[in-house]
Amino acid sequence: MDTFLQLTVSGLSTGMIYALAAVGFVVIYKASDVINFAQGDLLLFGTYLIFFSIVQLNLPWTVGIMLTLLIAVAMGLLIERVVLRPLIGEPIISMIMVTIGLSSVLRALANALWGPQPRTFPSFLPDGVISIGTAVVGFDRVLAIPLGLALLVLLGFFFRRTRDGIAMRAIADDQQAALSMGISIPRVFAIAWAIAAVTAAIGGMMLGNIVGVSQSVAAIGLRVFPVVILGGLDSIGGAVLGGVIIGLLEVYTGGYIGHGLNLIVPYFVLIIMLMVRPYGLFGKPIIERV
Amino acid sequence: MTMECGVFHTTYTSDIALRRVPAERLRLGLFVIVVIAFPFLASPYWLNLANQIAIATVGAIGLNILVGYTGQISLGQGAFMAVGAYTAGLLTLNFGLPWGPSIVFACLVTSAIGTFFGMPSLRLKGLYLAIATLAAQEIIEWVITHWTGVTGGTEALVVPAPQLFGVRMNTDFRFYWLVVILASATALFTANLFRSRIGRAFLAVRDQDVAASVIGVNVFRYKLLAFATSSFFVGLAGALIAYYRNIVSWERFTLETSLFYLAMIIVGGLGSIRGSFFGAALITLLPALITNAGRMLQDSAPAIASQLPNIQQASFGLIIILFLVFEPKGLSKLWQNVKDYFYVWPFAYRRGEGRH
Amino acid sequence: MSVLLEFNNVEVRYDDVILVLRGLSLQVQEGQIAALLGSNGAGKTTALKATSGLLDIEDGKVTDGTIHFAGKEIQGQSADRIVRDGIFQVVEGRHVFEHLTVHENLVAGAYTRRDRSSIARDMDRVYDYFPLLADRQKQWAGYLSGGEQQMLAVGRALMARPRMLLLDEPSLGLAPVLVRGIFDIIKRINEEEGTTILLVEQNARLALSISDYAYVMEGGRVVLEGTSKEMVENEDVREFYLGLGEVGRRSYRDVKHYRRRKRWLS
Amino acid sequence: DDASDEGLRTIKIGAIFDLTGATSDVGVDYADGVRGYVEWVNAQGGIAGHTIDLFYQDYAYQVDRAEQLYSQFVQEGAVVFMGWGTGDTEALRLRITEDQIPFSSASLSHVLGDAVESPYNFLVATTYSDQFKIVLRWISEDYQARGGTGAPQVALMHNASPFGMSPWVYGGEAYAAEIGVVVTRYEMSRGATDFTAEFTRIRQAGAEYVVFQNTSAPVSVAIRSARSLGIDATFVCLNWCANALLMRLVGEDAEGLVGAMPYAPLTADVPGVQPLRDYLEERGESYTERTNAYTQGWYTFSIFAEGLRRVIDAGQDLTGHNIKIALESIRDLDMAGVTIPITFTATDHRGSKGLRLFQVENGTWTPLTDFLTAP
Amino acid sequence: MSEPDALPGLHIDRVSLRFGGVAALTDVSFNIQAGELLALIGPNGAGKTSVLNCISGLYRPQEGSIRLVSEGVEHDLTDLAPHNIAQLGVARTFQNIELFKHMTVLDNLMLGRHVHMRGGVLSSGIFLGRQRREEIAHRREVENVIDFLNLESIRRATVGNLPYGKQKLVELGRALALDPAVLLLDEPMAGMNSEEKESMARFILDVHEQSDTTPVVIDHDMDVIMDISDRVVVLDFGRVLAEGTPEEIKMNKLVIDAYLGEETIRVGSGV
Ligand SMILES: Nc1ncnc2c1ncn2[C@@H]1O[C@H](COP(=O)(O)OP(=O)(O)OP(=O)(O)O)[C@@H](O)[C@H]1O
Ligand SMILES: Nc1ncnc2c1ncn2[C@@H]1O[C@H](COP(=O)(O)OP(=O)(O)OP(=O)(O)O)[C@@H](O)[C@H]1O
Ligand SMILES: [Mg+2]
Ligand SMILES: [Mg+2]
């Protein structure tokens, strides 16, 4: 029972960390039906940027965080301008592939700027653990939960209620019609990429605190792929729920079975669930009206 | 006086031929001559690259069948190649099967496993189906590294070089002939496939699966068939790697491999056989070229040379981005443009109706 | 009356090579309804897209000539600028946002507008015109029937309150009762709000009945123009666009076979 | 004439490094160590009057790239090749035998030391399985010294790769059974942010020792998970995580960590590291930042240099075959305290069979034992 | 499959179809007799397209059955998959044009022959002997369709770039290539000018008269519909509102109110 409690608590916190890393995927998907393979590298930049601000520039924490978010926004805008904008109107697969290219470029850039050596920064979240019954979990990890929920609420509101949120979903459906409404695709894409970069920066900062500043942060981007698929590619709530489910699955398999099965069991469960709900838990179905 | 102002076909046979005009046949002839002459002129280093390109071409054509022609993104290329490589390797190693039959087996096994992972296409579409291929990548990798009794686990397999007519194919020069013949056969097979019933049905499923189903195409069956056909050739590429490298290690077949192959077909051109070859060549040659450029700079511009690793990595990404931004149809389209330019040369107008 | 929209020798190409508009010139007066007729492939849709800036996304370009709107050159400008300047196009073939509800589709139509209060009023007006849509407010537009989607597409245009409306076959797929209805609505928008309208429509009889002026396009340029009254009287228009011969309308059963040209392979 | 004389007096060596790939965290230091040695030795007048021309490239831990670079460098005349990872070393094993190119790598898998299977591979550090055996023996002694009864419980946490599995499959498993140590394996999955699940099981199993076979970054994540769960066990790192980097990454939690180091860290108090410190300081770099991968790169090459020197001194041609024979003639080569003396024979290419345990005390790796040799 | 107890044709029997709360079809029954030209009309959202979708297997009605009687055999289509229904000789076009956009006209039409061809993967890839002959034989059939519809000049054009009207023709061609027993046409005249409508009408009549194909046409153009059809079925709110000859329908008060409108009848003499 103790084990179960401990695993559940860890699984939940890991799941929320995944969710934090995953919302960026969802935002990009919502605006363009594209899976962003560079999301992991945006996370990586989040991690390195906070390192850069705090350690290299020696800024106080609050300023450092602001600067990180600011640079993240700038990066999002730049990526949109240079890489995505020329592809407006091209098939989805081109946009997806371009993010694979982008990922490689960003990785190289991070490497050129900060080198391959893992780094650390003084932890900016209070150290220590929180006990829940017999289970313990690091405070830094728990923080992912309120952060994740806050993003869920904010982005949920943005997509349902605001003009630009609706415009974003409109673009994903039909770029030409969106243009004819006077929606500026570049502007909306820019907003989407800025949001994605900011959520990635937040996730990256958390991860930097948890796993250290190293290239391995980018690998988390890929682990999150099943999370968004499970939740439904275009659902923020799905990302959170998917994150929690995958987090729990991983930790239960790791804790009760082992053998590295925790890497693949989520995939089995995922595919079985998808056979029942082909668009994930909350994803939008393809509408085939003829 | 009358003058023919174009190429007309008066029989269906000539109309459906793969090379429809004399210029095309001439080019093919030239290409064949170059391919035959190449190994006699090239150094082992270039032969090595050529062999890699030929094998990559087979794999890229395989992937293109799934991605380019049937519209299904696959992230499982690496794993499917691993299945081919391990099957071939294990058959030779454990059962002493000669390379010929064991390559065939390897292709069939890969094909079966590819089909298995294509099963979710019964329900899943688009990116949701892509997860099935990612799952394939992860699951197959896990099985290979954990099924120690059969695959040797994380240790590499040592596969003897194949024998052809009593000659051991253990040099680049000898192997060249084998891979070039198989790569050509793959290309020809695929070209044929896509000018006939099955291939058209693949394309139909990609473009509009509802319409495909109402004209009588069993969409699920053809999706599976696409997985099967694609993985067959991917398995072939894997098996060839096993025999060429003589060592099969799972580290060669990771997700990164899958992304490399995706890059090949994007840069080369989706849904194009010629593009698969171009892409395989470019993505294989790119690091080699940059290496050489970098080594020339090593003394003159050490600052640049020291950033070479990052330049390597960035250039892989950049080339994808540049192609997508400036020529989304890839090298095969560039080639087409060049041809169009010369088609009616010296007159500067182009054919009205393009073939795709 | 002043000229609101003017095409001057406009040339449009797709993919840098396919020449579609070959020196198109036309004018639409402020407050008018102008009809643009022409057979399939004449370039009507292309002309509208050239005006509203939608060519870009299809690899099309204005390669020669000018398009003026309210005295300002607009060719080559981005679509969102043009919409904000007051031109709104209802695109051909019901491009509704499938995964947005009917309501959200209408909100998207008002994207460039700032006057929140009157947006709600216009929304009611759309539901008033198209009660079928009112029943479906909360439903994804992708599940509407073809005709319902067409109503939504027109409804979106009403939400934008543009200075000039470009309509590409608004009656496509609408039931006969509604066709009449939609032309009444077009006429009313024109009269009550003074919206200038350029109308592409295959139903030439109706188009001519509400328009003031008409152009006939063929092969990428204007081959015939005149007031709508003149056009109805024109022999060619009667023959090819109104389907009226000298003896009046003939049955579709009696139409002769079109003789086929010699065929070549390739 | 002069030019050809000049040509004769350079020795071409090929090398591939991982500067950007999966193992670049330690790959960079290793590469710098190799390059450092080459520069240093050339500055000293080279090897018996021959300067070394090092062809090297990053291969990003990609096997295909490694093969390409290998054939390119060999074609350009490299007579010795420095590899890196397990995958590429395996992939090239047969090629180098055919090409007769002596080959070293940082992969310390047992098979590579088998002079019959892999006649041109030379292992210049203790194999993973030997490392593991040494550690197991130490554990069993330590356990008894602390008054433990029964069999000590050991958890082996390893990377899911040949590298990770190597200590176990090549004798580790058998040896554990032989000396009565109970070892349970746990795989560390890629990109994990947390190892709570594994440590929950480790705690249930009651392991007193946890041995890591992985690189520093993932091990640091594991150690943090363990600390937050309050796992009370002795942590032992094998070669690739027992380094300064790990210490930096885990900070205070590193206290008490045990490291199995075939090569001494630069901070160690042995004469062998002095030239390295001097070299680095001359270039304005702080040696404390460097991991022992630097030492390893430097000395790996120095051993090959010894082989080259012997060929030249014997007046023979610098062919791969001759170099191999020369290397096989090395007996008890003194390494000035960096490693135990090195010996190769015609049948055994495992040059070093010993290592030294270090422990983190007050933030520095301090020797815990003297050199221990593999059972 | 069983011995038919009904006349050749399509029999739609008490079909009901719901989507969540929306009742698209309620208890719809009517017959399409082989050899007649039936028109299906009704207001927007009445369920016309839904009927076609049920026939071609894209929608599965919750209740009722659809049976096809041809060549003396009766097939129950209700639970068949779309491709099986196509194999039985039911072809169709779509309201919104669903062509294979990136392929040529020729390939689109060759796909229409899919059900009649046999080649498998291996024989296709090798493309010798039987396979080559098959390809040529079917190409000949397709050329007949091309000839019939006057598509020669655009044979090798990519379909996506063709103007709307031409695409409609290609879609008709693809359906004809199937050599169908029943041809379902969803708004073939929409978006065409009168000249094009005339030729489209002519093509439909020719198909009807010169082959064994039974056309079913949905359209909102009453002039064409009333001129060419033998019988008309009117749907409204998912139910059959009326059924009869064009003359009867034109005079039907219910139909006038729900669909035609007074005006259409009055001005009905124009196109
Ligand atoms: N994106 C495109 N790329 C290439 N050619 C195009 C493209 N769009 C249209 N065309 C070509 O331009 C010509 C004019 O097309 P357009 O759609 O403007 O005609 P239209 O008058 O609106 O016809 P319709 O009545 O069928 O709607 C056609 O020949 C068409 O093939
Ligand atoms: N897949 C679906 N999901 C939800 N509702 C649907 C679906 N298909 C059809 N409907 C609804 O069923 C009703 C009938 O639609 P259908 O497309 O059959 O109409 P129609 O008679 O063809 O109309 P139109 O003349 O406008 O094309 C409509 O109200 C439509 O919204
Ligand atoms: Mg048009
Ligand atoms: Mg309909």
Side-chain angles (χ1 to χ4, degrees), chain E residues 64-123:
Chain E
S65 72
I66 298 169
R67 286 163 303 136
L68 172 72
V69 180
S70 75
E71 289 166 10
V73 195
E74 178 172 318
H75 309 271
D76 189 349
L77 305 187
T78 325
D79 290 322
L80 289 185
H83 62 269
N84 296 125
I85 293 172
Q87 278 154 12
L88 294 175
V90 179
R92 73 174 281 183
T93 66
F94 297 91
Q95 187 168 0
N96 228 354
I97 304 189
E98 308 287 351
L99 283 168
F100 307 116
K101 280 202 185 58
H102 301 100
M103 302 170 79
T104 60
V105 172
L106 199 54
D107 281 341
N108 268 275
L109 299 198
M110 283 301 280
L111 269 160
R113 299 295 302 165
H114 184 84
V115 297
H116 298 292
M117 297 173 79
R118 289 276 93 52
V121 176
L122 204 59
S123 62

Side-chain angles (χ1 to χ4, degrees), chain A residues 289, chain C residues 136 143 145 147, chain E residues 19 24 44-50 59 95 220:
Chain A
R289 287 278 283 108
Chain C
R136 298 283 170 92
Y143 289 130
S145 83
Chain E
F19 298 102
N44 295 118
K48 305 178 294 298
T49 302
S50 298
Y59 287 168
Q95 187 168 0
H220 290 299

Side-chain angles (χ1 to χ4, degrees), chain D residues 281-300:
Chain D
E281 261 165 14
E282 210 172 289
R283 296 168 44 111
E285 287 185 47
S286 147
Y287 67 84
T288 51
E289 296 287 306
R290 295 290 187 167
T291 63
N292 45 358
Y294 190 89
T295 328
Q296 188 162 344
W298 181 292
Y299 273 100
T300 300

Side-chain angles (χ1 to χ4, degrees), chain E residues 142-199:
Chain E
V142 161
E143 287 296 337
N144 288 338
V145 175
I146 288 181
D147 213 17
F148 172 64
L149 296 175
N150 260 330
L151 298 172
E152 346 0 55
S153 60
I154 53 168
R155 204 188 263 120
R156 288 195 184 276
T158 303
V159 165
N161 294 341
L162 292 175
Y164 190 82
K166 283 277 186 273
Q167 296 195 17
K168 288 236 141 183
L169 278 185
V170 176
E171 208 186 19
L172 174 63
R174 186 179 67 188
L176 286 177
L178 193 83
D179 206 356
V182 180
L183 174 64
L184 311 168
L185 302 172
D186 200 349
E187 305 201 7
M189 318 284 172
M192 298 201 154
N193 65 24
S194 69
E195 184 186 345
E196 290 151 348
K197 276 182 199 166
E198 283 178 1
S199 54

Side-chain angles (χ1 to χ4, degrees), chain B residues 305-341:
Chain B
S306 73
Q307 283 297 331
L308 204 63
N310 298 323
I311 295 173
Q312 284 275 18
Q313 173 150 38
S315 63
F316 169 73
L318 270 179
I319 201 144
I320 298 178
I321 295 176
L322 291 178
F323 263 100
L324 286 169
V325 170
F326 294 106
E327 186 45 272
K329 296 205 178 75
L331 284 164
S332 72
K333 180 68 197 304
L334 285 181
W335 174 245
Q336 186 70 45
N337 291 350
V338 171
K339 275 195 322 195
D340 284 349
Y341 182 78

Side-chain angles (χ1 to χ4, degrees), chain A residues 179-255:
Chain A
L179 276 175
S180 75
M181 302 293 106
I183 295 171
S184 158
I185 299 183
R187 174 191 143 91
V188 174
F189 271 14
I191 296 175
W193 278 85
I195 296 178
V198 163
T199 60
I202 295 173
M205 286 192 261
M206 295 277 306
L207 282 169
N209 207 60
I210 294 167
V211 304
V213 185
S214 79
Q215 299 263 342
S216 60
V217 169
I220 292 163
L222 218 64
R223 284 182 81 119
V224 164
F225 202 46
V227 168
V228 274
I229 295 275
L230 178 63
L233 279 163
D234 62 330
S235 163
I236 304 276
V240 173
L241 193 57
V244 167
I245 293 175
I246 299 269
L248 285 173
L249 269 175
E250 276 187 13
V251 82
Y252 289 146
T253 356

Side-chain angles (χ1 to χ4, degrees), chain C residues 241-260:
Chain C
Y241 292 92
L242 301 177
L244 301 168
E246 296 100 65
V247 290
R249 177 181 177 271
R250 56 177 184 263
S251 167
Y252 280 99
R253 275 195 188 271
D254 305 331
V255 176
K256 285 191 307 294
H257 281 236
Y258 275 81
R259 267 302 10 129
R260 320 188 217 301

